Amino acid sequence: MARHEAAAPSITRRSLLAGAAAAFLPSRTLADSLIIRPEMRGVDPRYAAYATVGPYTFPESAISFRTPRSNMVVFHPEGAKSARLVVFSHGVLADPLTYAPLLKHWASHGFVVAAPLHEDAVIENGLKLRRSRAAGIAEWQIGDLLEDDKAWRERTDACSACVDAIPLLSKATGIRVLDERPAITGHGYGSFIAQLLLGARVKGSDGSPVEYVDPRFFSGILMSPQGAGVMRLDKDSWAGIANPLLSLVARNERDFTGQPPEAREDPYRLSKAGYKHLGLLKGGDGTTFSGRSAGSIPEQGALFTVLKAMTTGFLHAYSSYDEAAFADMGSDFFERMSLGLVDERRR
C-alpha cells in the first residue's frame, strides 16, 4: 500500500465562517416539531442543544449496507439535504448496534454515520477467537487479535471503504453526503484503528515500521484510546498527527490491554500541538461509551449526556466548521456545563 503523509489541517476564523455559511441550516419541519427534547435547566442553551436530540429524526433501524470491501450499518438524518460523514469503528467483540444510542444522536445532529461491521465482531467471526479449555471453560484469544497485522489492515480498509462509498451512501440515504472533512471515530480497539488512520505509526510483526494512514480523514474522536507500551505503540507513534483530535478517557475503565487511564492520555499528549482536546470522564467505565446503561443507572446517564455533548460539539466544530462550537471546544465550556463530570484539557 502506498504511504501517504497526512497534511496538517489549516483552520482559521475565515474558513470557519465560510464553512458555517455554506452549511445547510434545517428549517423547522413537522418531523422536527415532533421530536421530544428533555429540558435541561440551568445550563447554556448551546450545551443543551449538543446533549439532547438534534433537529433531525432518523430511522429507528439502521440501513444495512454491503460493499466488496466492507459490511456497514448507516444512520442518517431524515430530511437533510446534505450531511458530512462520520465513520465509527466498534470495540472488540462488539458491533455497531452496541453503540446505537450514540450513533443515532450524531445522526440527529445532521451527520451520516457509517459503521463497519468488522470481521472480529461476535456476530461475524468473533466466536473464532474463543478456545475451549478443560471443564468446558471458554477462553477468549483477544491478545492474538490485538497484535494481528492482518486484522489491523482489514479494519482500516473497512473504514476507508466507507469514504469510498460516499456516492453509494448518497444514493441509499437520499442525502448529498459531502466528501470534505470526514471524521474517523472509534471505541477501544476501534479507537486504535482510528489512530492508525490518522497517522499513528506502529511496527509490523517483523519489526519494521508500518503505516495505515488515510489522509482523507480530517479529524478523529478516540474513546478509550491506547497509549505507549501495547499494540506496538511507542512514545513516537503520534509525532506525525496534526489533525484535530478529541480523546475521551473513562477514569474507571479497564480493558483487555490492562492500561491505566493515565497511559491512555498519550495520543493527546504526544501528538502535534494544536486542535487537541482531552476529556477525562470522572467515574466512567467501558459501558459509558455505548450508552446502554444510561437509562437505568443515573450516574451513567449523566456521563453519557456529557459524552454526547462533547463529541457533538467537536463534530460541529471540526466537520461543520461551526464557529460557536469551535469557541466552545477552545474553552472549559463542557467542564463547566457538566458541573465537573469531565475534566477538560486542550493544547
Side-chain angles (χ1 to χ4, degrees):
M1 176 176 287
R3 292 174 58 179
H4 305 277
E5 290 294 334
S10 176
I11 303 174
T12 64
R13 178 179 174 84
R14 177 175 294 179
S15 62
L16 276 168
L17 288 171
F24 172 72
L25 297 177
S27 60
R28 290 193 60 83
T29 63
L30 175 61
D32 184 47
S33 66
L34 293 176
I35 295 174
I36 299 175
R37 296 182 177 86
E39 183 179 0
M40 297 185 69
R41 298 180 178 179
V43 300
D44 190 292
R46 291 198 313 280
Y47 183 83
Y50 297 140
T52 57
V53 64
Y56 296 100
T57 57
F58 47 83
E60 185 60 31
S61 298
I63 297 174
S64 295
F65 206 88
R66 181 181 296 270
T67 73
R69 291 165 51 206
S70 179
N71 298 330
M72 67 185 82
V73 297
V74 179
F75 296 95
H76 68 280
E78 294 180 310
K81 294 182 178 179
S82 63
R84 299 195 182 278
L85 179 66
V86 177
V87 178
F88 177 81
S89 180
H90 62 74
V92 67
L93 298 181
D95 64 78
L97 297 183
T98 301
Y99 305 87
L102 180 60
L103 307 189
K104 288 179 178 180
H105 181 78
W106 293 342
S108 79
H109 281 267
F111 298 95
V112 168
V113 184
L117 179 61
H118 294 301
E119 291 293 322
D120 54 80
V122 171
I123 58 177
E124 289 286 287
N125 295 320
L127 291 176
K128 295 179 180 178
L129 298 170
R130 188 174 64 181
R131 182 178 66 188
S132 295
R133 299 176 60 192
I137 299 175
E139 181 181 56
W140 292 96
Q141 302 299 300
I142 304 301
D144 295 342
L145 174 65
L146 299 183
E147 300 286 341
D148 185 353
D149 299 35
K150 181 180 178 182
W152 298 352
R153 182 67 66 189
E154 288 175 345
R155 270 184 168 247
T156 53
D157 187 62
C159 291
S160 292
C162 294
V163 183
D164 295 334
I166 281 179
L168 298 176
L169 292 173
S170 296
K171 185 176 181 179
T173 61
I175 299 169
R176 184 166 67 93
V177 182
L178 305 173
D179 59 6
E180 294 179 318
R181 301 190 295 276
I184 179 66
T185 66
H187 172 239
Y189 191 21
S191 72
F192 175 71
I193 299 305
Q195 292 178 68
L196 295 180
L197 287 164
L198 291 170
R201 298 181 179 182
V202 293
K203 293 181 179 179
S205 55
D206 61 357
S208 61
V210 292
E211 293 183 3
Y212 299 83
V213 61
D214 186 335
R216 296 176 297 179
F217 287 113
F218 181 79
S219 63
I221 297 176
L222 312 178
M223 293 176 276
S224 296
Q226 298 75 25
V230 298
M231 301 167 79
R232 304 188 205 136
L233 292 164
D234 59 38
K235 294 293 185 180
D236 297 320
S237 289
W238 302 275
I241 298 181
N243 310 63
L245 195 66
L246 170 61
S247 294
L248 292 162
V249 178
R251 285 295 194 187
N252 295 337
E253 180 167 14
R254 293 294 183 272
D255 66 2
F256 296 111
T257 68
Q259 284 195 310
E262 294 76 16
R264 299 177 184 279
E265 299 177 18
D266 284 351
Y268 163 77
R269 293 188 300 103
L270 301 177
S271 55
K272 289 185 177 180
Y275 316 118
K276 301 299 184 296
H277 306 271
L278 175 66
L280 300 173
L281 299 171
K282 298 180 180 179
D285 57 30
T287 65
T288 301
F289 299 98
S290 68
R292 290 293 181 178
S293 301
S296 57
I297 303 176
E299 293 81 3
Q300 287 289 349
L303 287 170
F304 189 58
T305 296
V306 178
L307 175 71
K308 290 187 294 182
M310 200 167 183
T311 55
T312 302
F314 180 88
L315 291 173
H316 280 305
Y318 293 106
S319 290
S320 303
Y321 272 10
D322 181 283
E323 187 178 22
F326 188 77
D328 292 336
M329 292 302 302
S331 69
D332 61 351
F333 176 78
F334 296 94
E335 183 172 345
R336 288 187 291 106
M337 291 298 105
S338 69
L339 300 180
L341 283 178
V342 61
D343 181 2
E344 191 176 358
R345 304 174 190 176
R346 66 205 63 82
R347 57 188 292 265

